[in-house]
Amino acid sequence: MTTSITTVKENEGLREKRIIAPLRFGLVQPNLYRGSYPQPHSVEFLKRLGLKSIVSLTPEPLQIPEVIQFANENSIKLIHIECGEAKSKSKKKRGVPVQHDVAQQAVELMINADVAPMYIHCLNGSQVTCLVIACLRKLSFWSMASIAEEFLRYSELEAADEGFIEKFRAEISVPPSTVPWMWKGLSKTGVVRNHPTLKISETPKEQKEYKEANEAPESSEPVQ
């Protein structure tokens, strides 16, 4: 969990501008960042990330005028995946506000190189973001112990959260252009195959490449 505050001097010291990272900001993978709902005071920080997209895992689309203006001026795609707020069953237990289809959409976006660099967030950068990142880690073959360790840096991990992650089953559609850090397994074409809990769906282009890579080369020697 990182909060960064930097002072930048402009116009030879005539003006100072504070650069403040969003709450619970963190680096997930190269060109993939996480955190809380972006606020006006974080725009200067976000400018330095070279973003192509901002993914909002929230009940409503992003509504901060300064952030929307920043996105429009920099050709940043605003993507909204609707999900609710945590609903506590009691004062001691909270519910899970994310459905598996929401996590699936988020994972498919996070592995898509065409929308990277990306900043993904929920309302407070805690439970919801943690859950979709955990599902991404599951795609990358992380152990539950490693997933839990990362989860706890940003949020409490309750039984409902752990159950959601363990039960996450989905058909992940691999985009034509995947991020370079995506775990490739032993595939010659750079696509995860035979995942123990997730079904991987490929584009026709990837299917063709896999077929060509696995076809036996024809012998150039004449037949006797």
Side-chain angles (χ1 to χ4, degrees):
M1 181 163 39
T2 306
T3 300
S4 175
I5 302 179
T6 309
T7 300
V8 176
K9 293 185 177 181
E10 297 182 344
N11 300 324
E12 297 181 352
L14 296 177
R15 181 184 175 188
E16 291 187 351
K17 189 176 295 185
R18 299 184 78 197
I19 301 181
I20 306 174
L23 181 67
R24 298 190 177 92
F25 176 82
L27 173 68
V28 182
Q29 291 286 354
N31 289 329
L32 176 58
Y33 309 94
R34 60 176 292 167
S36 64
Y37 203 95
Q39 298 295 333
H41 61 253
S42 296
V43 169
E44 287 301 319
F45 181 89
L46 294 174
K47 283 180 180 179
R48 285 154 174 76
L49 302 180
L51 299 175
K52 282 188 180 180
S53 64
I54 297 176
V55 178
S56 301
L57 305 166
T58 53
E60 301 291 337
L62 193 64
Q63 297 179 349
I64 304 297
E66 293 87 347
V67 179
I68 294 173
Q69 180 182 352
F70 153 66
N72 291 337
E73 290 176 350
N74 293 274
S75 301
I76 297 171
K77 188 174 183 180
L78 298 177
I79 304 171
H80 177 235
I81 303 178
E82 183 178 355
C83 60
E85 300 180 52
K87 297 180 180 179
S88 298
K89 296 180 180 179
S90 68
K91 292 183 178 180
K92 295 183 178 180
K93 294 182 179 181
R94 66 181 181 185
V96 176
V98 183
Q99 299 296 323
H100 283 155
D101 62 335
V102 168
Q104 176 185 344
Q105 291 178 61
V107 168
E108 290 174 352
L109 283 169
M110 288 187 284
I111 63 174
N112 188 344
D114 292 337
V115 289
M118 172 190 292
Y119 177 68
I120 187 166
H121 72 91
C122 56
L123 293 176
N124 59 8
S126 186
Q127 185 191 16
V128 174
T129 304
C130 282
L131 287 169
V132 299
I133 296 297
C135 293
L136 174 68
R137 299 309 194 190
K138 189 170 183 178
L139 175 65
S140 301
F141 290 86
W142 279 34
S143 68
M144 191 60 206
S146 297
I147 292 173
E149 181 181 358
E150 181 181 45
F151 198 109
L152 289 167
R153 296 177 197 166
Y154 302 91
S155 174
E156 295 179 355
L157 177 63
E158 298 192 4
D161 301 319
E162 195 167 352
F164 176 90
I165 300 165
E166 291 178 343
K167 294 176 182 178
F168 178 60
R169 302 286 189 276
E171 181 173 342
I172 305 298
S173 296
V174 178
S177 178
T178 57
V179 289
W181 47 261
M182 180 178 173
W183 196 88
K184 306 299 195 303
L186 302 178
S187 170
K188 295 181 180 179
T189 60
V191 177
V192 178
R193 294 179 179 277
N194 302 320
H195 197 284
T197 57
L198 300 174
K199 183 178 180 182
I200 309 301
S201 175
E202 303 164 307
T203 64
K205 177 183 176 182
E206 288 164 337
Q207 292 174 350
K208 180 181 178 181
E209 289 175 349
Y210 177 77
K211 182 178 179 181
E212 291 175 349
N214 285 275
E215 284 180 345
E218 296 182 1
S219 174
S220 58
E221 296 182 1
V223 178
Q224 299 295 330

